[in-house]
Amino acid sequence: MRVLDVSIEADQDFDDILTFSAVQFGFAASTRYAALIGQAFNDLTENPARPGTVASDDLPQGIHIYPIRYSRDRVPPPDRVGHPRHVIVFRFDDFAVQIVRILHDAMDFPRHLN
């Protein structure tokens, strides 16, 4: 399995997402969302080319996106998030998966990656 490397920006994204989730939806919802993001990280380290992963010509070379909704069913039913809207922006090689950002799916990805 590859090593997980989370960038400073992605770590800040994670904190911001959980804070927003706690304020808007409550601590329990924030905890569920954290578990889902953690599961998505685990899924990507196991197989960064897993179904749902996309590389786009609009993104810098080597950058992939993975909507966390594709990891939703891998979280126990009581802890599942209804409609997750974030994507993990990452790159990988044979040894590591680097999480570059965690962005809302409505964001302009290229703008947030430059």
Side-chain angles (χ1 to χ4, degrees):
M1 189 160 73
R2 291 169 175 86
V3 173
L4 181 66
D5 175 26
V6 180
S7 72
I8 293 169
E9 294 84 2
D11 192 48
Q12 184 62 56
D13 293 337
F14 183 76
D15 290 345
D16 292 346
I17 290 164
L18 296 186
T19 299
F20 177 84
S21 182
V23 169
Q24 293 297 313
F25 307 109
F27 181 73
S30 178
T31 300
R32 288 192 305 272
Y33 218 76
L36 175 57
I37 293 171
Q39 181 63 55
F41 285 178
N42 289 338
D43 291 345
L44 289 173
T45 58
E46 288 176 12
N47 178 10
R50 65 184 305 103
T53 299
V54 177
S56 171
D57 292 336
D58 294 338
L59 301 174
Q61 186 169 354
I63 293 289
H64 298 78
I65 59 171
Y66 178 71
I68 65 173
R69 71 177 178 268
Y70 290 112
S71 291
R72 182 181 174 275
D73 291 341
R74 295 176 50 83
V75 174
D79 296 328
R80 288 191 184 149
V81 174
H83 301 284
R85 298 281 313 265
H86 286 84
V87 301
I88 297 173
V89 180
F90 70 101
R91 60 175 55 96
F92 69 95
D93 59 25
D94 291 339
F95 307 103
V97 171
Q98 181 193 25
I99 308 300
V100 177
R101 297 292 306 264
I102 308 169
L103 301 174
H104 192 276
D105 65 8
M107 289 179 160
D108 178 3
F109 298 154
R111 184 174 72 90
H112 288 279
L113 296 174
N114 291 328

